[in-house]
Amino acid sequence: ETLARRYRETRRKHPLGADRSIDAAIRRERALLKPLRLAADEVIDSTDLAPPSLRRLLRARFGSDAPGMRLSVVSFAYRRGLPADSDLVFDVRFLDNPHYRSALRPLTGRDPKIAAFIAKDPGFTSFFNVLTNLFDVLLPRFDDEGKSDVTIAIGCTGGRHRSVYVAEKLGRWLSARGLAVTVRHRDLDGDVEPKSNPNRRGSRQSSRRGKAS
């Protein structure tokens, strides 16, 4: 009854329910899995368990000692759009922009000169403290909920200076706390997500026809 209610509430189709009702599909599933259940060393009744509680139980009984949550910090350029897999997005375009200093423009946020320039921004230290305090609250709760992957996106205009520096600094802060974290720079490293525009080809053809006429 509980399984049938869950399928109806979520409106998901049972894998064996193509030509049978939900109740019949569940009965068929139980029949198929009966040999496996009899051979199992442990059976978990999830009837009264919410998904987060079930995830915690499975991780406690069968998980390894490795960190349960994987973090990815990605810098990006707003002009190229948000990273598709972002869970949390932070806009750092309010920070002083090295792009307008000719000596700094060719450098990236990985360069010590860029780091020093951004760190001198009067608002940077307070911003970064607020940011890390937020993660001190959020990440333990994400972990309690059983969230396995979290992508943190840091954006600026060109994805070259401010977002790169903040992403690198945040990555080091997270790593120092023993968390599994990777840092990548989408628009600095050339890992640009393509944008699809189904009307693009048609608009070009229309433009050509217009010129021809």
Side-chain angles (χ1 to χ4, degrees):
E1 182 179 341
T2 301
L3 285 175
R5 175 174 53 79
R6 289 175 179 172
Y7 274 106
R8 292 189 181 100
E9 286 177 350
T10 59
R11 297 183 180 181
R12 292 181 178 176
K13 192 172 184 64
H14 193 285
L16 301 175
D19 56 351
R20 51 173 68 92
S21 68
I22 293 176
D23 294 324
I26 292 173
R27 288 195 297 270
R28 177 58 179 161
E29 178 187 13
R30 285 176 172 166
L32 291 172
L33 295 178
K34 185 176 181 180
L36 189 62
R37 180 187 176 95
L38 293 174
D41 296 322
E42 186 169 356
V43 176
I44 296 174
D45 184 356
S46 65
T47 302
D48 298 319
L49 293 177
S53 301
L54 179 59
R55 283 193 291 267
R56 286 194 293 270
L57 176 61
L58 293 174
R59 185 160 44 171
R61 295 194 184 181
F62 308 111
S64 65
D65 294 331
M69 186 166 53
R70 296 180 298 273
L71 302 175
S72 177
V73 181
V74 54
S75 70
F76 71 96
Y78 268 97
R79 65 188 180 192
R80 295 183 182 271
L82 297 177
D85 56 352
S86 304
D87 294 297
L88 300 166
V89 180
F90 297 92
D91 185 346
V92 297
R93 287 176 291 185
F94 66 91
L95 296 171
D96 289 339
N97 193 350
H99 175 80
Y100 297 109
R101 300 293 182 91
S102 57
L104 299 178
R105 189 177 303 156
L107 307 177
T108 75
R110 292 168 169 158
D111 192 285
K113 292 181 180 179
I114 296 295
F117 177 87
I118 296 174
K120 287 193 300 184
D121 185 303
F124 176 76
T125 299
S126 58
F127 160 72
F128 195 78
N129 288 340
V130 170
L131 183 65
T132 53
N133 287 339
L134 178 63
F135 284 120
D136 276 335
V137 175
L138 289 180
L139 295 181
R141 297 300 298 269
F142 285 168
D143 196 41
D144 287 344
E145 288 293 309
K147 196 169 181 61
S148 58
D149 294 278
V150 177
T151 299
I152 303 162
I154 311 289
C156 67
T157 306
R160 182 176 180 84
H161 298 119
R162 294 167 291 180
S163 62
V164 171
Y165 170 67
V166 175
E168 290 283 344
K169 187 174 179 67
L170 180 60
R172 291 193 296 270
W173 183 87
L174 294 167
S175 182
R177 279 149 182 77
L179 298 168
V181 57
T182 59
V183 178
R184 66 184 177 92
H185 306 293
R186 189 192 71 177
D187 300 311
L188 182 64
D189 298 336
D191 183 21
V192 181
E193 296 170 359
K195 291 184 177 180
S196 59
N197 185 352
N199 297 321
R200 188 174 182 181
R201 185 176 178 182
S203 63
R204 284 184 175 177
Q205 289 175 343
S206 298
S207 175
R208 287 170 183 165
R209 292 191 194 102
K211 289 180 180 179
S213 61

